Amino acid sequence: IEAISLHLDPTVHLELNQKIIKIDREKKRVYSKEAMFGYDKLVIATGSLPNAPFDVKSVKNAAVFRSADDCEAIKNGIKEREVVVVGGGPIGLELLETLNKMPDIKKISLLIRSSFLYDKNISGESVKIIEQCYTKNKKITIYFEDEIVDTVIEDAEIKLLKTKKTEIKNPFVIFGIGIRPNIEHFRETLKCNKGILTNTFMQSEDENIYAIGECAEVEKFGFIAGHVEACTQQAKSAISHILQREPQAFEPKTTIDMLKVGEFNLLDVMSPDFGKDYEKVVISKENFVDEYFLKEGRILRYIGINSNVDVCYVQNLIEGAKEIEIDDLYRAAKAEGRGKLVCSCTGTYYNDLV
């Protein structure tokens, strides 16, 4: 911990191991089980919690994938067991890639309720490429449209896992089925939906209480942060409003996600305006796919599998909000000679590195 510690200003008083369980808005106090703290302005940044159908801490051979402690539990628990990963989104797929490289694991089953991988909007062509990359060495089996229907637990250990399609004895089960805002202790005190509801300055219904990051929901946009950049911008908006120094309202921006797994690279560029209503153009050839999601002639999202499209160029098209012709998608600027995208934040490609 010392090696990664950050410098704190002498005016900052740090209290560790204090779980806040109550807010008294009238007296401007927060309470943990052991102590009470007063405030003038309160900023809540409690983050999120991983989803699981039961308390995995009470079962020896089950875990979520969120913290260093979770990783240690997985490392120590997988020996001589078939590993079962539940969830085919980004978290589940990244976990699957890591597990696939571990020599102690001989068999892995991926359970997915749906018929897609990564995202419900992805094309069948993309799903096929991703699936083949994972399953070609026969170590991984993917069960689409499957889910757990029963578990036999004895002595705090899952002895038998039953799904719609299979049964697995003495598994190690890892849940990668998303996250939820960590706000349960605040629901009685503050107005909440999925997260603590805020305005664009991250201010809750109480003018002296702010919420930022994955625990907050910006009511105007129905937005909950899922990227570091958005969390950082929300913190800046809250601070600027508290100090009243050129207050900066928060506004969601275009996001870029990257998933590098074995033989495939996935890039996802998405406008905050993307929703259910869209038309899609899919361009595929051999082992690559470009998917463009359009509404009224505007590109709102792009998903590429093994593509050499210049992602930063696509980002500019999305943020420019200009109407385009379908033929323009075939002439999209390429990152020729620059290699694969390395850093989406700076627009750096492999061959740009010195």
Side-chain angles (χ1 to χ4, degrees):
I1 294 177
E2 291 297 326
I4 61 173
S5 62
L6 299 175
H7 170 73
L8 285 179
D9 188 278
T11 60
V12 176
H13 180 65
L14 177 64
E15 287 276 355
L16 299 175
N17 301 313
Q18 296 287 348
K19 184 177 181 180
I20 301 303
I21 58 175
K22 181 183 176 183
I23 299 175
D24 187 330
R25 290 170 52 182
E26 184 177 346
K27 295 181 179 180
K28 290 189 176 181
R29 294 174 180 174
V30 295
Y31 296 86
S32 70
K33 290 183 178 180
E34 297 84 17
M36 178 274 291
F37 306 91
Y39 67 85
D40 294 312
K41 300 290 183 181
L42 176 65
V43 179
I44 301 173
T46 49
S48 59
L49 297 171
N51 291 323
F54 55 83
D55 181 11
V56 297
K57 293 182 179 180
S58 65
V59 180
K60 298 176 184 177
N61 54 335
V64 292
F65 182 51
R66 183 69 171 172
S67 67
D69 289 340
D70 296 332
C71 294
E72 193 68 23
I74 293 169
K75 176 185 174 182
N76 296 331
I78 58 176
K79 297 175 182 178
E80 299 180 0
R81 294 182 188 269
E82 177 175 345
V83 177
V84 178
V85 177
V86 182
I91 294 174
L93 294 181
E94 288 183 354
L95 176 60
L96 200 65
E97 167 69 1
T98 301
L99 295 171
N100 195 28
K101 295 177 180 178
M102 299 177 70
D104 291 340
I105 301 175
K106 306 303 179 185
K107 189 175 182 182
I108 305 171
S109 293
L110 176 64
L111 305 183
I112 306 172
R113 279 184 173 181
S114 62
S115 58
F116 56 81
L117 291 165
Y118 179 73
D119 186 277
K120 65 182 179 180
N121 298 293
I122 205 167
S123 69
E125 293 96 324
S126 294
V127 171
K128 186 176 180 181
I129 292 173
I130 297 173
E131 180 184 9
Q132 289 175 344
C133 287
Y134 279 115
T135 59
K136 71 174 187 176
N137 65 1
K138 309 299 182 183
K139 186 175 179 178
I140 297 173
T141 302
I142 300 178
Y143 294 94
F144 290 99
E145 298 181 333
D146 197 8
E147 61 184 320
I148 298 172
V149 296
D150 193 20
T151 53
V152 177
I153 301 176
E154 297 177 5
D155 299 323
E157 189 171 2
I158 301 173
K159 299 295 184 180
L160 180 64
L161 183 74
K162 296 181 180 181
T163 78
K164 291 180 178 180
K165 297 183 177 181
T166 188
E167 294 186 1
I168 302 170
K169 295 180 179 179
N170 299 313
F172 191 91
V173 185
I174 309 171
F175 294 98
I177 50 177
I179 57 176
R180 66 187 187 279
N182 182 16
I183 62 168
E184 293 312 309
H185 290 297
F186 310 126
R187 285 192 176 276
E188 293 183 2
T189 310
L190 298 169
K191 185 179 178 183
C192 299
N193 184 31
K194 292 180 179 179
I196 298 171
L197 292 173
T198 74
N199 60 21
T200 55
F201 294 102
M202 310 314 299
Q203 195 175 33
S204 73
E205 62 177 325
D206 186 318
E207 64 179 9
N208 296 308
I209 299 177
Y210 296 74
I212 62 173
E214 293 176 336
C215 70
E217 180 178 351
V218 184
E219 190 169 12
K220 179 180 178 180
F221 308 111
F223 177 87
I224 297 178
H227 295 77
V228 173
E229 184 179 6
C231 294
T232 302
Q233 184 57 49
Q234 288 183 354
K236 291 179 179 178
S237 295
I239 292 170
S240 69
H241 194 261
I242 291 171
L243 299 178
Q244 285 298 299
R245 296 179 181 173
E246 299 180 4
Q248 304 171 16
F250 171 79
E251 190 169 336
K253 296 182 179 180
T254 300
T255 59
I256 300 180
D257 288 305
M258 302 171 63
L259 181 63
K260 299 179 180 180
V261 177
E263 296 180 356
F264 84 86
N265 292 307
L266 184 149
L267 291 164
D268 187 352
V269 190
M270 183 166 59
S271 163
D273 298 327
F274 177 75
K276 297 179 181 180
D277 185 18
Y278 61 80
E279 296 178 312
K280 184 160 68 169
V281 175
V282 178
I283 304 172
S284 62
K285 183 179 180 182
E286 296 179 359
N287 201 38
F288 85 84
V289 181
D290 289 327
E291 303 186 28
Y292 295 91
F293 300 79
L294 305 141
K295 182 177 181 180
E296 297 177 354
R298 284 182 54 201
I299 300 177
L300 295 181
R301 189 176 186 183
Y302 164 80
I303 297 177
I305 305 289
N306 297 330
S307 176
N308 66 342
V309 165
D310 188 333
V311 177
C312 295
Y313 172 81
V314 174
Q315 180 183 8
N316 290 334
L317 287 179
I318 291 174
E319 293 178 343
K322 295 180 180 179
E323 186 173 342
I324 64 167
E325 299 293 334
I326 297 297
D327 288 346
D328 293 336
L329 304 181
Y330 292 89
R331 298 192 296 269
K334 306 292 182 180
E336 299 291 358
R338 300 179 68 189
K340 297 293 183 181
L341 184 68
V342 174
C343 178
S344 60
C345 298
T346 60
T348 302
Y349 290 81
Y350 183 82
N351 290 339
D352 294 331
L353 302 176
V354 177

